[in-house]
Amino acid sequence: MAKARIENNIRRLRFDADEMTQKELADKVGVTRQTLLAIENGKYFPTLELAFRIARAFGVGLDDVFTFHED
């Protein structure tokens, strides 16, 4: 079976959004800064609902934030 991984562009999107802080994004989507940090670093994967909230916070589609790879 192929190994799957999920990558995200949250850091780049935050930078492009006038260097939004992790705390600002966390407050917008309703999680702690620590949770957002874990997601950004790929140590925790968000629920589908939270993934959509993150995408909406940037005004982009889900696939602009998260990418699924099967190796």
Side-chain angles (χ1 to χ4, degrees), residues 16-62:
D16 292 347
D18 294 327
E19 299 185 23
M20 178 188 296
T21 66
Q22 290 173 336
K23 175 78 169 113
E24 289 169 332
L25 180 56
D27 289 345
K28 266 188 169 183
V29 300
V31 297
T32 65
R33 187 194 65 77
Q34 290 82 1
T35 298
L36 189 65
L37 175 64
I39 294 169
E40 194 171 296
N41 288 331
K43 296 182 182 196
Y44 173 77
F45 299 108
T47 64
L48 190 53
E49 178 186 351
L50 179 54
F52 275 108
R53 282 192 267 149
I54 292 169
R56 277 206 187 118
F58 292 116
V60 299
L62 195 59

Side-chain angles (χ1 to χ4, degrees), residues 1 3 5 7 13 19 25 54 56 65:
M1 183 171 181
K3 185 175 180 180
R5 61 189 161 87
E7 295 177 348
L13 288 164
E19 299 185 23
L25 180 56
I54 292 169
R56 277 206 187 118
V65 181

